[in-house]
Amino acid sequence: MLTIPPLETFGPRICVFGPSNAGKSTLTVALAAKTGARPVHLDQYRFLPDTDWQERPDDEFAQLHDEAIAGESWIIDGGYSSLLPGRLQRATGLLLLGDNRWSNLRRYFYRTLLQRNRAGNLAGNKDSIKWEMLRWIMVGGPQSLARYEAKLPAIGLPFHYARSMHEVNRLYETWGLPRP
């Protein structure tokens, strides 16, 4: 049986990692509601609001990221490896979410085509199916997950890996997190 550490183990600044459509943003909102920490969705900083995922300039993105991690408590979701070192220096706990690429792909279609009000969505809610995203889910996401699985535990911070949506749901139950 999966042992889940107490939520308090992870401290006031938690990074949530995982492939696209693994439930990071939804978990971030639930953790923030439970702990009173600020939820931070890095996609909302990387991409401009009221666009169909148009990137913000790198320097603006880095500034928004650095301002967010300067806070005393936050739950932050997303990878963005170029900014990861600073985030890991401030983090007090790490969560990794994983699921199979087919489930992630199904959730991508659902959220893009049917789910208008979801955690982590861009303001203006302009979204469409993109070939680049399909490729990322099928190829890049699993590769990224493997890198996180190898790297994150070695950092030395409290760490937990939920390997499936079933295990993510166990986090909600064990920690008494509100459901969206």
Side-chain angles (χ1 to χ4, degrees), residues 46-148:
R46 172 79 268 196
F47 298 95
L48 294 166
D50 299 309
T51 70
D52 190 6
W53 300 92
Q54 178 185 342
E55 285 192 358
R56 188 182 304 274
D58 291 343
D59 58 334
E60 288 179 31
F61 174 44
Q63 180 180 349
L64 290 169
H65 171 272
D66 292 349
E67 289 170 2
I69 65 169
E72 284 306 309
S73 65
W74 39 258
I75 314 293
I76 192 166
D77 68 69
Y80 298 100
S81 59
S82 65
L83 301 174
L84 192 54
R87 195 171 338 130
L88 291 176
Q89 285 179 346
R90 297 271 305 135
T92 56
L94 310 172
L95 297 173
L96 177 59
L97 309 184
D99 204 352
N100 71 67
R101 66 186 84 185
W102 299 106
S103 294
N104 295 344
L105 183 64
R106 180 184 52 78
R107 282 191 293 276
Y108 173 64
F109 283 119
Y110 175 77
R111 82 176 203 185
T112 303
L113 298 174
L114 302 173
Q115 196 176 23
R116 290 293 144 207
N117 296 314
R118 67 170 183 84
N121 205 12
L122 298 181
N125 201 24
K126 296 179 181 180
D127 206 351
S128 62
I129 302 295
K130 295 167 191 55
W131 285 110
E132 301 85 22
M133 189 64 170
L134 295 172
R135 183 181 183 292
W136 176 254
I137 291 168
M138 298 307 290
V139 179
Q143 293 171 350
S144 176
L145 182 60
R147 284 192 302 272
Y148 285 135

Side-chain angles (χ1 to χ4, degrees), residues 17-28:
F17 298 97
S20 296
N21 304 286
K24 298 180 304 293
S25 294
T26 304
L27 181 62
T28 293

